[in-house]
């Protein structure tokens, strides 16, 4: 199932997307929940069913909103999880946190993005240009946790995956370097486009996904999830060793080579740019920069 939050005729709804028919069908959900989609995920994980709650409408008539608007935790992000990106980032001079160690990490690098960063698939990335002049894109696969757990064995990790989505881990490189850590440069409002919907795990082979990022129509990033240094079970095991993962937690699995900081000279985003991140079977983010 593809689960979306969307705006239609002044209402905010949750529905299932029929990509082939280009329609979205509203679902019977608890609109009083703090996060409606997380509440729906909890129902589905518990084995309940969800019914349709209205007539289908054309996807062209709706505006996609972020599928999860208020994760219980910060978005859990993995740094330098594609070998070629780790190498380009080491060469770029922006990796102030590297500390002179090896370019390719020997264990997952974990940081977070605050929930205030999350926006939908067609919303604008709104940059405070007085704060940063080096705004970068990072297309990533997002993993949404279903069944909660602590100290999850990698062999059982797939049982805890509810769905997948697309994330653009927008980053202020100058803040990242200045503060010698990543949180401030990653957590500016609107710096986490997500969506356009969640695709449940039963519809996806996570080992065969192709990610592409285009900036103004130019292909900048292209990779397969087979290229991940640390695979999804390893990430779930690593994170859950320290904390309980809860339904609706979002894990951003890392970005491949081709980010703006990796070019010589760097190619950062400017007002008027459009960034499109697509992943096979998961849809497409299309966000302007203002």
């Amino acid at each position: 199932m593809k689960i979306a939050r969307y705006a239609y005729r002044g209402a905010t709804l949750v529905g299932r997307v029929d990509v082939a028919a280009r329609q979205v069908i509203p679902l019977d959900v608890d609109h009083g929940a703090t996060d409606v989609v997380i509440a729906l995920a909890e129902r589905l994980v518990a084995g309940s069913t969800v019914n349709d709650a209205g007539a289908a409408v054309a996807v062209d008539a709706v505006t996609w909103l972020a599928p999860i608007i208020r994760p219980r935790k910060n978005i859990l992000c993995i740094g330098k999880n594609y070998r070629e990106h780790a190498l380009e980032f080491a060469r770029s001079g922006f990796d102030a946190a590297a500390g002179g160690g090896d370019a390719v990490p020997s264990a997952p690098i974990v940081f977070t993005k605050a929930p205030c960063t999350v926006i939908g698939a067609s919303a604008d990335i709104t940059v405070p240009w007085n704060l940063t002049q080096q705004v970068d894109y990072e297309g990533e696969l997002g993993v949404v946790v279903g069944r909660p757990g602590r100290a999850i064995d990698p062999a059982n990790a797939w049982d805890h995956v509810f769905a997948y989505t697309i994330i653009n881990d927008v980053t202020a490189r100058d803040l990242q370097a200045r503060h010698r850590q990543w949180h401030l440069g990653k957590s500016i409002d609107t710096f986490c486009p997500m969506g356009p919907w969640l695709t449940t795990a039963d519809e996806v082979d996570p080992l065969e996904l192709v990610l592409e990022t285009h900036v103004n129509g130019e292909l900048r990033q292209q990779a397969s999830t087979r290229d991940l240094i640390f695979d999804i079970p390893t990430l779930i095991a690593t994170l859950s060793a320290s904390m309980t993962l809860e339904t609706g937690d979002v894990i951003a699995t890392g970005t491949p080579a081709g980010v703006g900081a990796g070019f010589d000279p760097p190619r950062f985003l400017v007002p008027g740019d459009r960034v499109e991140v697509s992943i096979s079977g998961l849809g497409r983010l299309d966000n302007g920069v203002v």
Side-chain angles (χ1 to χ4, degrees), residues 211-227:
L211 181 153
E212 293 185 345
T213 302
H214 291 78
V215 178
N216 302 325
E218 176 190 1
L219 180 64
R220 297 281 186 90
Q221 293 181 291
Q222 186 176 52
S224 166
T225 50
R226 287 195 175 276
D227 300 328

Side-chain angles (χ1 to χ4, degrees), residues 260-273:
F263 288 89
D264 186 14
R267 302 176 68 181
F268 296 122
L269 299 173
V270 298
D273 281 349

Side-chain angles (χ1 to χ4, degrees), residues 26 37 49 51 53 55 62 96-97 111 127 151 162 184 199 208 210 221 239 266:
V37 173
T49 58
N51 297 319
V62 309
F111 62 95
V127 180
F162 173 68
L184 291 179
T199 301
E208 297 291 348
V210 176
Q221 293 181 291
L239 292 165

Side-chain angles (χ1 to χ4, degrees), residues 174-203:
D174 38 7
L175 296 187
Q176 189 178 37
R178 182 184 311 151
H179 295 283
R180 301 188 64 81
Q181 51 75 46
W182 295 356
H183 186 70
L184 291 179
K186 299 282 191 174
S187 289
I188 296 174
D189 290 357
T190 76
F191 271 33
C192 188
M194 181 190 300
W197 45 67
L198 306 185
T199 301
T200 53
D202 58 301
E203 292 192 2

Side-chain angles (χ1 to χ4, degrees), residues 51-287:
N51 297 319
D52 294 346
V57 298
V59 296
D60 293 337
V62 309
T63 299
W64 303 121
L65 307 175
I68 293 176
I69 54 171
R70 187 55 60 175
R72 293 190 171 106
K73 297 181 182 63
N74 284 7
I75 297 149
L76 303 168
C77 304
I78 308 302
K80 301 196 293 187
N81 201 21
Y82 288 81
R83 179 180 174 82
E84 293 305 315
H85 171 62
L87 295 173
E88 75 172 352
F89 195 45
R91 293 191 300 266
S92 72
F94 288 93
D95 191 5
D102 293 336
V104 179
S106 57
I109 296 172
V110 180
F111 62 95
T112 70
K113 293 174 81 80
C116 61
T117 60
V118 176
I119 59 173
S122 56
D124 286 331
I125 300 164
T126 304
V127 180
W129 297 106
N130 62 325
L131 187 63
T132 175
Q133 296 291 314
Q134 297 178 339
V135 179
D136 211 344
Y137 52 87
E138 293 191 6
E140 307 197 10
L141 171 68
V143 176
V144 181
V145 175
R147 183 158 62 88
R150 173 77 192 275
I152 298 167
D153 189 291
N156 301 323
W158 296 118
D159 296 336
H160 295 263
V161 176
F162 173 68
Y164 301 92
T165 192
I166 306 171
I167 287 174
N168 185 356
D169 176 18
V170 183
T171 304
R173 297 294 184 199
D174 38 7
L175 296 187
Q176 189 178 37
R178 182 184 311 151
H179 295 283
R180 301 188 64 81
Q181 51 75 46
W182 295 356
H183 186 70
L184 291 179
K186 299 282 191 174
S187 289
I188 296 174
D189 290 357
T190 76
F191 271 33
C192 188
M194 181 190 300
W197 45 67
L198 306 185
T199 301
T200 53
D202 58 301
E203 292 192 2
V204 176
D205 180 354
L207 301 179
E208 297 291 348
L209 299 178
V210 176
L211 181 153
E212 293 185 345
T213 302
H214 291 78
V215 178
N216 302 325
E218 176 190 1
L219 180 64
R220 297 281 186 90
Q221 293 181 291
Q222 186 176 52
S224 166
T225 50
R226 287 195 175 276
D227 300 328
L228 288 168
I229 297 171
F230 305 106
D231 62 13
I232 292 168
T234 299
L235 300 181
I236 289 174
T238 299
L239 292 165
S240 69
S242 299
M243 68 188 83
T244 299
L245 295 180
E246 301 171 278
T247 305
D249 284 346
V250 180
I251 304 168
T253 58
T255 200
V259 300
F263 288 89
D264 186 14
R267 302 176 68 181
F268 296 122
L269 299 173
V270 298
D273 281 349
R274 294 207 70 85
V275 185
E276 299 180 18
V277 184
S278 62
I279 298 179
S280 51
L282 302 186
R284 179 171 61 95
L285 295 177
D286 183 1
N287 301 93

